[in-house]
Amino acid sequence: MEAYSVAVITVSDRAFKGEYPDRSGPLAKSMWSEQGGRVVFDRIVPDDEGLIGDAIKSAVAARAQVVFTTGGTGVGPRDVTAEATSKLVDYELAGIAQAIRQRGQASVPTAIISRGIVGVLTVGGKRAVVINAAGSTGAVKDAIEVVAPLVPHIVDQLVGGDH
């Protein structure tokens, strides 16, 4: 299979404002590239449901087959990545989201609190999988380690491949 296309979207008010450097987004881009992905879209957005949703849709319009978000999955009042994502997905892949939380929980007990989802969405006739990770480098590492082995099969299925 040829390289799949990946979008990385960092959701963070402070990184968007330049108050601190985004560490999770660059790590995600590097890890996806190491796993065989081709990063075609990269954006930092504030914790705003509409802007998150717009970025996800723009990523799919830019032909990303995998949309990976980092940040905004907690229980704080500005953590709205799961809400933005859930409004866009056609269906969830709940087992993958749970596996990501379980991987994180092994080293960080509060990882189980993450509300990130994984699901399939369609934008303008293009299908993609969206993966929400928490906004830390550890969470990015855990999520990509769980999902990366599955992505070639998921992408193949999105375009009508056989089981």
Side-chain angles (χ1 to χ4, degrees), residues 9-13 15-16 43-48 51-55:
I9 300 169
T10 299
V11 180
S12 168
D13 286 334
F16 180 77
R43 188 164 294 167
I44 300 173
V45 297
D47 292 275
D48 176 277
L51 294 176
I52 296 165
D54 288 347

Side-chain angles (χ1 to χ4, degrees), residues 12 23 62 64 102 113 125 131 145 155:
S12 168
R23 290 185 180 87
Q102 287 174 330
I113 296 171
I131 302 149
E145 287 176 353
V155 169

Side-chain angles (χ1 to χ4, degrees), residues 23 25 40 63 65 67 92 101 110 153 157 160:
R23 290 185 180 87
V40 298
R63 300 199 179 279
Q65 297 165 300
V67 180
E92 291 188 34
R101 283 188 278 277
T110 55
H153 181 70
Q157 293 288 291

Side-chain angles (χ1 to χ4, degrees), residues 18-156:
E19 294 174 2
Y20 76 83
D22 173 22
R23 290 185 180 87
S24 60
L27 176 62
K29 289 188 294 184
S30 173
M31 288 186 71
W32 280 115
S33 293
E34 290 169 10
Q35 294 294 327
R38 183 176 37 88
V39 178
V40 298
F41 184 95
D42 174 27
R43 188 164 294 167
I44 300 173
V45 297
D47 292 275
D48 176 277
E49 195 173 324
L51 294 176
I52 296 165
D54 288 347
I56 292 170
K57 289 184 282 190
S58 294
V60 179
R63 300 199 179 279
Q65 297 165 300
V66 177
V67 180
F68 186 85
T69 71
T70 171
T73 65
V75 296
R78 301 270 307 150
D79 292 324
V80 295
T81 301
E83 286 75 16
T85 303
S86 67
K87 289 179 179 173
L88 297 175
V89 297
D90 301 323
Y91 51 88
E92 291 188 34
L93 303 172
I96 298 173
Q98 187 57 27
I100 292 169
R101 283 188 278 277
Q102 287 174 330
R103 169 72 63 94
Q105 188 183 24
S107 56
V108 180
T110 55
I112 201 73
I113 296 171
S114 173
R115 298 179 310 107
I117 67 170
V118 177
V120 172
L121 69 152
T122 307
V123 176
K126 298 175 186 79
R127 299 181 76 211
V129 61
V130 61
I131 302 149
N132 297 156
S136 70
T137 56
V140 165
K141 184 176 184 289
D142 290 338
I144 293 174
E145 287 176 353
V146 168
V147 177
L150 306 172
V151 164
H153 181 70
I154 291 170
V155 169
D156 184 55

